């Protein structure tokens, strides 16, 4: 299949994913926005005044970038894992596999849908955050690039989860037992400088910490980690996970079995 036809195939998948996200916007866009609003009310308004400042910022202002990134991560992941597993469950993924469409087009098309939903939800949560606090983007390029790379990483992770999932319950195991704990322990609500040295060192093994802090640096200009290291981790996982996705598609794991 030549390049132009592969591009058409990929555009078709992307269009299908976009239509899916927008058609059921009450399920894909609204719930995370409501959840993040509750976080802002509870942790910002009710608890934030008692905590005071953190790293020189109001607590509400400090946690806003972390909450935005948390919404991007969970929605990018959730969109791809549910969409591709639905394709497996409905068995129309087999039609894509027997076509001359390249595996890369299938992966990129679904990942694009996850990125789109992550960015839409992240934008909406940012607008909501502006009702509670003042946010000024200090480094726009860092903010946008970290947002895109993070959504790509977790869209690819969602794709891998969907490949191995055999029933609907399997697509909730990773978000519940892995993604949620790592997110809450990723510096969304606190600076790791407040932790004892042992826990600071242990926190550095959490990749979400680098995403949250790099995004916080883009908005507030403050981070607990090296931005160069954060970019290195994001790029490394993007390439690694994309390679894994292609290998799984090529071998037909979880699809041809």
């Amino acid at each position: 299949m030549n390049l132009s036809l592969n591009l058409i195939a990929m555009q078709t998948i992307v269009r299908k994913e976009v239509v899916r996200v927008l058609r059921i916007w009450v399920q894909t866009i609204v719930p995370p926005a409501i959840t993040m609003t509750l976080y802002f009310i509870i942790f910002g308004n009710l608890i934030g005044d008692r905590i005071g400042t953190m790293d020189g910022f109001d607590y509400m202002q400090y946690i806003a970038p972390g909450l935005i990134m948390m919404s991007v991560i969970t929605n990018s992941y959730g969109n791809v894992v549910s969409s591709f597993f639905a394709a497996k469950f409905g068995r129309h993924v087999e039609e894509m596999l027997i076509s001359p469409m390249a595996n890369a087009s299938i992966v990129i098309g679904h990942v694009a849908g996850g990125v789109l939903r992550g960015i839409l939800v992240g934008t909406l949560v940012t607008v909501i955050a502006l009702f509670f606090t003042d946010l000024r983007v200090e480094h726009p390029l860092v903010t946008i690039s970290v947002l895109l790379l993070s959504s790509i990483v977790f869209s690819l992770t969602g794709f891998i989860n969907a490949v191995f999932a055999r029933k609907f319950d399997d697509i909730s195991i990773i978000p519940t037992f892995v993604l949620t704990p790592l997110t809450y322990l990723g510096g969304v609500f606190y600076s790791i400088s407040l932790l004892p040295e042992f826990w600071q060192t242990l926190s550095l093994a959490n990749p979400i910490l680098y995403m949250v802090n790099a995004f916080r640096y883009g908005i507030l200009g403050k981070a607990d980690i090296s931005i160069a290291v954060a970019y290195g981790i994001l790029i490394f996982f993007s390439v690694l996970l994309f390679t894994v996705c292609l290998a799984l598609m090529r071998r037909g794991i979880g699809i041809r079995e």
Side-chain angles (χ1 to χ4, degrees):
M1 191 174 187
N2 61 39
L3 179 61
S4 62
L5 292 180
N6 263 304
L7 287 175
I8 293 174
M10 185 173 64
Q11 289 170 2
T12 302
I13 297 176
V14 172
R15 184 165 58 248
K16 183 215 35 154
E17 291 298 303
V18 171
V19 170
R20 174 181 176 273
V21 171
L22 298 180
R23 180 170 54 84
I24 55 174
W25 60 272
V26 176
Q27 300 175 41
T28 57
I29 306 297
V30 175
I34 294 175
T35 301
M36 290 301 120
T37 301
L38 293 175
Y39 275 119
F40 282 120
I41 293 173
I42 296 172
F43 288 95
N45 282 353
L46 302 181
I47 299 177
D49 291 339
R50 298 187 179 186
I51 295 177
T53 61
M54 187 167 292
D55 280 353
F57 299 96
D58 291 339
Y59 188 64
M60 177 77 83
Q61 195 175 27
Y62 184 83
I63 67 172
L67 290 175
I68 296 169
M69 179 54 67
M70 184 166 71
S71 68
V72 171
I73 288 173
T74 54
N75 284 277
S76 297
Y77 184 97
N79 191 79
V80 178
V81 70
S82 61
S83 177
F84 192 72
F85 181 76
K88 284 177 53 183
F89 185 79
R91 306 192 74 85
H92 58 265
V93 69
E94 296 173 359
E95 298 175 5
M96 292 188 285
L97 292 174
I98 62 175
S99 73
M101 185 191 315
N103 290 332
S105 297
I106 299 174
V107 175
I108 294 173
H110 285 86
V111 168
V115 172
L116 170 71
R117 179 174 167 183
I119 291 176
L120 285 176
V121 173
T123 301
L124 182 57
V125 173
T126 302
V127 172
I128 293 172
L130 294 175
F131 286 97
F132 295 92
T133 188
D134 180 35
L135 294 177
R136 293 186 297 273
V137 180
E138 297 290 337
H139 306 284
L141 290 178
V142 173
T143 302
I144 295 172
S145 59
V146 169
L147 183 70
L148 287 173
L149 286 170
S150 299
S151 59
I152 289 172
V153 166
F154 281 96
S155 293
L156 290 167
T157 307
F159 191 93
I160 294 173
N161 187 177
V163 167
F164 283 103
R166 294 182 178 274
K167 54 185 182 297
F168 279 103
D169 291 341
D170 293 341
I171 68 176
S172 64
I173 293 176
I174 299 299
T176 301
F177 296 104
V178 179
L179 194 57
T180 298
L182 288 180
T183 302
Y184 280 100
L185 297 174
V188 173
F189 300 102
Y190 58 87
S191 168
I192 63 169
S193 61
L194 300 176
L195 301 176
E197 185 176 351
F198 171 78
W199 292 107
Q200 285 189 41
T201 304
L202 188 63
S203 295
L204 295 177
N206 182 356
I208 295 180
L209 174 73
Y210 297 88
M211 301 175 190
V212 169
N213 272 271
F215 190 70
R216 180 175 287 131
Y217 175 81
I219 294 179
L220 302 179
K222 180 72 175 181
D224 293 329
I225 48 83
S226 167
I227 302 303
V229 173
Y231 270 109
I233 290 174
L234 283 167
I235 294 171
F236 170 77
F237 275 107
S238 297
V239 174
L240 174 65
L241 293 173
F242 182 68
T243 304
V244 171
C245 288
L246 292 182
L248 292 174
M249 292 294 291
R250 185 172 60 251
R251 297 179 61 185
I253 294 176
I255 300 173
R256 298 191 178 98
E257 295 175 352

